Amino acid sequence: MYQPSVSVIVNTHNRADHLKRLLDCLAHQTYQNFEVVVVNGPSTDHTEQVLETYRSAIRIERCPEINLCMSRNIGVHAAAGEIVAFIDDDAVPGNSRWLEEGCKPFQDPKVGVVGGESYRLNGQHEFCNGSFSIWGENTPLADDSLSEEELDGERYNGVIGCNCFFRRSAVLEVGGFDEYYAYFLDETDLCLRIAQANYKIVHHNRALVYHEAAGGANRKSEYHLNWDVISKSRGYFVIKASEQTGLSAQEREKRAIASCNGWLKDFEWLLSEKKISKEDYNSFVSAVKNGVKTGIQDGFQQERKLQFGRENQPGVFALYQKNIGLSHRNICYFCEDDVITPRGGVAVYTDALAKGLTKKGHNIYIITKGDEERLRNINGINYCTVVPEYVPTSILSQGLPQERLNFSYACFMKLQHLISTFCIQVVESPLWDSYGLVTSYLEKKIPLAVRLQTPLKMLIETKQAQESPELNMLIEYEAAMMDHSDYIITISDCVKDTIENLYEMKFQQPVRKNYLGIKPDTLATTKREENDGKIVVFFIGRLERRKGIDSIIASIPQLMEAYPNLEFRMAGDCNIVDDVIGDTYKNKLLKENKGSKWLKRVHFLGKISDEEKEQEFADCDVFVSPSLYESFGIIFIEAMRYAKPVIGCNVGGMKEVISNGETGFLCEPGSAESFATCLDKLLKDASLRHTMGQAGLERLNRMFTEECMCDGALEIYREMIETYSRR
């Protein structure tokens, strides 16, 4: 098999997280005979730390300026491969055969350049069979390459800079990249000179990459580009490329100016569509006109900045050591809600897992719902938004509320892209809303884990809700998704037992426990003075029967009379009408105790921010939440973080979070008397409150930190991957 030595050159500047993602993806290439040369510009982010991690696997060079052509020349001269392959730091191979395919055309010794195909990560087709003319006209998308008959001295096959392969000897023969170009048209200019040296430029679209087109020094937004630099490059290119045409300088200058007219028309359209402001429009037009004028002048007056005089001393060819990249897991999560600014249980723990595992060097991809197809790498985490699409009715034999099924199907389809491009090894879906339903039926390449939360059946029971055909259908699909998954991850023993009892099922696949966790550091910056004479009891949650608010409200009058210094603070939606009492619990308390002086010591806070919530935890003496059921009860460990004693119920995951009599008390669900007895023990004994609070903090640090959660999850994923690969 033809396997020439290849030097993959990555030019980078202030894109540490993108670079790390690319280096890990390269570890999954089927091609063996390649090295990786990373040329780092004057980066000010943590690129150097990333490079240090991969130092034993790659070659590292540095470019003193933000000049892509200079950086590329440094890479070419350092490279020891017969072929040099350029891929942008914010791009990734489209599959594991990118290098293998990109090298095939070089079996023909006349081939000097190979251009691969490129897609944006949102699915937009970016480059395929592209061509260019000496007059700056670029055609990025075409049905086929230009034939030899069509190569008329003015038009040539071209490449896209994020995915191109060059015969290294041909690059050196023509003097390398012209360092006049800071960027833009740099690879086009090199292709022109290589073609004029009688080498072929061919396309091979099986060499595919996906390109994020991330923001940076040269791209502030989709429209806010460095138009002065871009137009300067185009003016210079046209003048240099047209030197052998025999046309007058005036005609060449006229053609160079005209090459920018398309941009000016684009600006007019963007302004009319209100995609840019009038100020933007004026700025863009001015930048283009001034830039092309400068480029034309330099094209006539300046010599090319080529590398003919540079001594060529390539390094020793060093195969890319794939072990570092292969040691990093590629993990995907489904979460419909916003995870970038998370609120709500699934989004919060998904965010914590993503950040914790990313910190350990693993690659995390989160599929969530959005208004457009998009992938963004933010602080090392890859956020993929999908637009739910109509699912074919043939996918599943039974129905499901269409909006739920559409998102589930969109998750599955996006996962297929991530598996082929980013080598995803395992996917996790919450039980909630059956996000992973379609994947559980159709995914055969990688294992799926379903993480258990409070099941819909339990929610219906605790809310005493009426059954309906839609609810029954959702319950059926919860059971079906669990049944078809490869692994079950439970956040407590109790929720597993609850589901098996309620659904009359026994899990046949492996079941692994992974407690949820939080950061152990307290977030509030201040704390209430403990000697102010108050005893503050705090509750947060929806003020509804399911959260045990009926027990709290029933206990308040007796306790307030017994403790003149007692204060209740209750946060959450207090406008929920209970079907049993026909009113809100806030109104019930106020009406039944009208005129009581202690009412001024009962505070209904309504919905509060995360910052306010943390402050309430810091300032309270006891936290209470006597829920009828919690699959885990992360709210309790949030209170334990501030060394507060807690009161929950002797049911569900609360039995595992709270050590009864040690870190707090477990009362009987739905019993106001049991709740009041437990709280009374804490109210009358400050020493007990302190002892239990400290014990809770110790328990948190031992069992319920994000570090514990991430380590446990990682061990489960490792087992899943190894088991599935053996299968």
Side-chain angles (χ1 to χ4, degrees):
M1 180 185 294
Y2 178 69
Q3 280 219 346
S5 58
V6 178
S7 297
V8 177
I9 300 176
V10 183
N11 308 97
T12 191
H13 176 247
N14 281 345
R15 285 185 180 160
D17 295 324
H18 293 85
L19 174 64
K20 189 263 181 193
R21 180 181 69 185
L22 170 59
L23 292 175
D24 283 351
C25 286
L26 289 173
H28 293 270
Q29 287 294 297
T30 56
Y31 202 80
Q32 300 299 323
N33 194 23
F34 75 98
E35 66 175 1
V36 175
V37 180
V38 177
V39 186
N40 184 23
S43 295
T44 55
D45 64 353
H46 57 288
T47 297
E48 285 296 336
Q49 290 93 309
V50 171
L51 293 175
E52 188 61 34
T53 300
Y54 295 85
R55 179 172 295 279
S56 62
I58 63 177
R59 302 251 307 282
I60 302 171
E61 300 291 334
R62 288 176 174 78
C63 181
E65 300 179 18
I66 304 176
N67 181 304
L68 182 56
C69 284
M70 180 183 294
S71 180
R72 285 182 163 172
N73 280 333
I74 290 171
V76 169
H77 284 275
E82 179 184 345
I83 308 300
V84 290
F86 288 97
I87 184 169
D88 281 4
D89 52 10
D90 62 342
V92 289
N95 52 55
S96 61
R97 297 171 65 87
W98 170 65
L99 279 174
E100 188 175 328
E101 294 294 341
C103 288
K104 286 181 178 179
F106 287 104
Q107 294 181 73
D108 180 351
K110 294 182 179 179
V111 170
V113 185
V114 174
E117 190 172 5
S118 175
Y119 281 85
R120 291 285 179 89
L121 280 169
N122 62 4
Q124 177 185 346
H125 209 173
E126 189 174 46
F127 184 90
C128 180
N129 300 319
S131 62
F132 68 91
S133 82
I134 62 174
W135 305 113
E137 298 159 349
N138 286 306
T139 305
L141 297 170
D143 293 334
D144 206 351
S145 301
L146 296 177
S147 65
E148 290 193 17
E149 292 75 20
E150 294 173 301
L151 301 176
D152 54 10
E154 289 194 1
R155 292 185 300 162
Y156 298 86
N157 286 320
V159 300
I160 189 169
C162 67
N163 183 22
C164 49
F165 300 75
F166 294 86
R167 194 179 297 276
R168 182 171 179 271
S169 59
V171 175
L172 296 175
E173 181 181 332
V174 300
F177 289 87
D178 184 346
E179 293 183 9
Y180 176 86
Y181 299 96
Y183 73 101
F184 187 67
L185 291 176
D186 46 298
E187 71 278 352
T188 302
D189 179 87
L190 178 60
C191 284
L192 172 65
R193 288 181 283 118
I194 290 177
Q196 291 173 340
N198 297 316
Y199 287 96
K200 294 180 182 178
I201 301 173
V202 300
H203 296 116
H204 190 64
N205 294 325
R206 291 183 181 177
L208 169 68
V209 305
Y210 284 92
H211 184 207
E212 184 174 336
N218 299 324
R219 188 188 296 114
K220 301 296 188 299
S221 76
E222 184 178 358
Y223 312 121
H224 292 77
L225 310 180
N226 291 340
W227 290 109
D228 51 346
V229 177
I230 292 173
S231 56
K232 175 184 168 185
S233 293
R234 178 165 280 183
Y236 177 85
F237 171 81
V238 171
I239 298 304
K240 290 299 186 186
S242 61
E243 285 177 333
Q244 308 302 320
T245 60
L247 296 175
S248 67
Q250 292 79 5
E251 179 63 22
R252 290 160 62 200
E253 179 177 354
K254 179 181 177 182
R255 296 285 292 269
I257 293 173
S259 72
C260 295
N261 287 342
W263 288 335
L264 300 179
K265 291 180 180 178
D266 289 341
F267 300 156
E268 291 179 1
W269 180 82
L270 289 171
L271 180 62
S272 68
E273 294 294 315
K274 298 182 179 179
K275 295 180 181 293
I276 61 174
S277 66
K278 182 66 174 179
E279 291 74 18
D280 286 334
Y281 173 80
N282 291 333
S283 174
F284 293 176
V285 170
S286 176
V288 167
K289 290 183 176 181
N290 291 332
V292 71
K293 180 179 179 181
T294 300
I296 291 170
Q297 181 177 331
D298 292 343
F300 281 123
Q301 296 179 357
Q302 293 187 20
E303 294 293 326
R304 289 184 177 274
K305 296 182 178 181
L306 302 179
Q307 302 292 302
F308 287 117
R310 181 169 179 170
E311 185 178 353
N312 180 31
Q313 291 184 329
V316 176
F317 187 79
L319 288 175
Y320 180 50
Q321 300 302 306
K322 299 180 179 181
N323 57 306
I324 297 177
L326 293 176
S327 70
H328 297 151
R329 303 300 187 188
N330 302 315
I331 302 161
C332 181
Y333 294 99
F334 296 158
C335 182
E336 184 177 23
D337 298 326
D338 178 18
V339 185
I340 298 176
T341 55
R343 294 185 65 91
V346 173
V348 169
Y349 81 68
T350 300
D351 174 65
L353 279 168
K355 289 176 178 175
L357 293 174
T358 298
K359 188 176 179 180
K360 292 176 180 293
H362 304 287
N363 301 298
I364 306 302
Y365 299 81
I366 302 175
I367 300 177
T368 187
K369 185 158 67 175
D371 297 327
E372 61 177 345
E373 294 281 337
R374 190 177 183 187
L375 188 149
R376 290 173 291 169
N377 186 295
I378 302 175
N379 297 325
I381 301 171
N382 300 281
Y383 298 92
C384 312
T385 54
V386 296
V387 179
E389 51 189 287
Y390 187 79
V391 60
T393 54
S394 60
I395 291 291
L396 298 171
S397 59
Q398 299 171 319
L400 182 72
Q402 194 64 47
E403 69 280 2
R404 302 277 179 85
L405 189 57
N406 289 349
F407 178 64
S408 180
Y409 181 61
C411 286
F412 169 74
M413 294 302 294
K414 176 57 68 174
L415 179 64
Q416 302 312 296
H417 173 213
L418 297 181
I419 291 172
S420 64
T421 304
F422 297 100
C423 307
I424 300 299
Q425 298 165 294
V426 64
V427 58
E428 179 184 310
S429 171
L431 180 64
W432 189 252
D433 278 352
S434 302
Y435 301 152
L437 176 64
V438 175
T439 299
S440 73
Y441 273 79
L442 300 184
E443 182 52 58
K444 306 301 180 185
K445 295 184 288 293
I446 64 171
L448 164 72
V450 171
R451 185 175 291 256
L452 306 182
Q453 295 91 29
T454 302
L456 186 57
K457 260 192 176 183
M458 177 58 72
L459 284 175
I460 292 172
E461 286 191 7
T462 54
K463 283 189 172 184
Q464 301 179 354
Q466 295 293 321
E467 290 189 10
S468 69
E470 180 174 311
L471 285 176
N472 290 335
M473 189 182 300
L474 290 171
I475 289 170
E476 288 179 18
Y477 273 96
E478 275 192 350
M481 184 175 71
M482 290 186 286
D483 185 53
H484 282 77
S485 68
D486 300 288
Y487 266 67
I488 295 294
I489 299 176
T490 183
I491 57 177
S492 67
D493 291 324
C494 290
V495 71
K496 167 189 165 293
D497 296 340
T498 297
I499 288 174
E500 289 187 328
N501 290 332
L502 282 175
Y503 289 73
E504 298 180 353
M505 62 186 296
K506 185 70 176 177
F507 292 119
Q508 300 302 309
Q509 63 273 70
V511 180
R512 300 291 181 263
K513 183 167 64 177
N514 183 217
Y515 286 135
L516 301 182
I518 61 174
K519 289 184 174 68
D521 303 327
T522 55
L523 306 180
T525 56
T526 61
K527 185 178 179 181
R528 181 185 118 247
E529 291 291 336
E530 294 184 358
N531 59 358
D532 63 1
K534 295 180 181 179
I535 305 176
V536 178
V537 176
F538 177 52
F539 164 87
I540 185 170
R542 291 165 59 89
L543 274 69
E544 60 183 0
R545 186 179 300 272
R546 184 171 67 91
K547 291 295 184 181
I549 194 63
D550 54 332
S551 294
I552 297 175
I553 294 296
S555 303
I556 285 178
Q558 174 189 350
L559 293 171
M560 296 300 275
E561 293 287 356
Y563 295 94
N565 58 344
L566 177 60
E567 183 177 310
F568 271 87
R569 298 178 66 81
M570 290 177 280
D573 187 353
C574 55
N575 297 313
I576 300 170
V577 176
D578 182 80
D579 292 337
V580 176
I581 65 173
D583 202 348
T584 67
Y585 279 99
K586 175 183 177 180
N587 287 341
K588 174 180 170 63
L589 180 72
L590 296 178
K591 289 176 182 178
E592 293 181 354
N593 299 280
K594 188 175 182 180
S596 298
K597 293 182 179 180
W598 51 259
L599 279 176
K600 63 183 180 182
R601 292 186 275 128
V602 180
H603 306 279
F604 292 93
L605 307 177
K607 296 180 181 179
I608 61 176
S609 67
D610 288 340
E611 293 76 13
E612 290 170 323
K613 179 185 73 172
E614 296 300 326
Q615 193 61 55
E616 293 292 339
F617 277 133
D619 290 344
C620 76
D621 295 287
V622 181
F623 174 73
V624 299
S625 184
S627 299
L628 297 181
Y629 186 84
E630 293 287 348
S631 57
F632 179 72
I634 200 166
I635 197 73
F636 296 104
I637 60 176
E638 289 181 320
M640 290 155 62
R641 173 163 57 190
Y642 289 90
K644 306 299 180 179
V646 298
I647 296 178
C649 279
N650 190 29
V651 67
M654 291 177 282
K655 294 192 296 184
E656 295 170 58
V657 173
I658 302 168
S659 179
N660 191 33
E662 180 184 357
T663 65
F665 290 112
L666 294 169
C667 63
E668 293 308 310
S671 171
E673 181 181 357
S674 177
F675 170 74
T677 299
C678 291
L679 182 53
D680 183 64
K681 292 177 183 178
L682 288 168
L683 295 179
K684 66 185 180 184
D685 192 338
S687 176
L688 181 62
R689 294 198 298 268
H690 176 78
T691 301
M692 284 189 164
Q694 291 300 316
L697 178 58
E698 181 183 338
R699 185 173 176 82
L700 161 67
N701 288 324
R702 187 172 69 252
M703 299 175 60
F704 303 122
T705 65
E706 286 185 358
E707 184 80 9
C708 295
M709 176 175 64
C710 291
D711 287 344
L714 196 58
E715 181 59 27
I716 296 170
Y717 302 147
R718 182 198 60 77
E719 179 185 337
M720 291 174 64
I721 293 167
E722 292 179 359
T723 300
Y724 211 77
S725 64
R726 287 196 300 269
R727 186 188 308 171

